[in-house]
Structure formats: C-alpha cells, structure tokens
Amino acid sequence: MGLLRSHQSIGKSRNDLAGVILESVAVCSRMLTWIDHSKTKVGYEIPLNRHFYRYEPPRALEDIAADVKELESEIVAMLAEIVGSAEDLK
C-alpha cells in the first residue's frame, strides 16, 4: 500500500488498518494547510454596543409625520424663493 511508510505495519484487524489510513490522511492534510501571516491580526475585538447600547423606543408616528410636513413646507418655501412663487410648484 502506498499510504504506509516503511516503519508502519498493518495490524491483524481492520480497525488497525483504518487507524493507519486515517493517520496518514491526517498527516497529508496537515501538510497541505497553510496560514497567510500577512492577513493575521493580534488583538481582540471589543463589542462596545454590547456594553454601552441603551435602547430608545421609536418616536410616535404622529410626531414623525409632523416633522416631515414641516420639512416639506420649508423645502417649498426655499424653492419658492428660487423659482418665484409657491403656486408654480404645486
């Protein structure tokens, strides 16, 4: 068998043969692995959100709608200054 080295011998049972084959496969796969040391980092990640985050419930829908309408009226007023009148924009 090509998987066995000269110092290895096959035992009398199938379990011994399976053990030898698994060991040789593990050695081969260990030789094929590599680490790109230019991409490794030394240090730890500190999850600040986990320690300092405080939940704030969302605002009421009516408050958000009022803010949007106020911003719309400000935009229309600014465009009216540029274009001429607010009636032309509607």
Side-chain angles (χ1 to χ4, degrees), residues 21-42:
I21 292 173
L22 285 175
E23 180 183 331
S24 63
V25 168
V27 169
C28 291
S29 65
R30 198 175 329 140
M31 289 189 296
L32 294 174
T33 59
W34 58 277
I35 296 174
D36 186 2
H37 290 286
S38 68
K39 295 182 180 178
T40 59
K41 298 180 193 176
V42 176

Side-chain angles (χ1 to χ4, degrees), residues 10-80:
I10 299 174
K12 296 197 185 253
S13 69
R14 288 185 191 172
N15 291 336
D16 292 338
L17 177 60
V20 169
I21 292 173
L22 285 175
E23 180 183 331
S24 63
V25 168
V27 169
C28 291
S29 65
R30 198 175 329 140
M31 289 189 296
L32 294 174
T33 59
W34 58 277
I35 296 174
D36 186 2
H37 290 286
S38 68
K39 295 182 180 178
T40 59
K41 298 180 193 176
V42 176
Y44 299 95
E45 179 181 348
I46 301 172
L48 297 176
N49 283 341
R50 184 184 314 160
H51 300 291
F52 299 108
Y53 177 75
R54 288 199 173 91
Y55 175 75
E56 294 181 14
R59 299 185 303 158
L61 187 58
E62 294 81 19
D63 296 338
I64 296 171
D67 287 345
V68 169
K69 288 195 184 271
E70 181 182 332
L71 289 171
E72 283 178 352
S73 64
E74 289 178 16
I75 291 171
V76 167
M78 284 188 246
L79 287 173

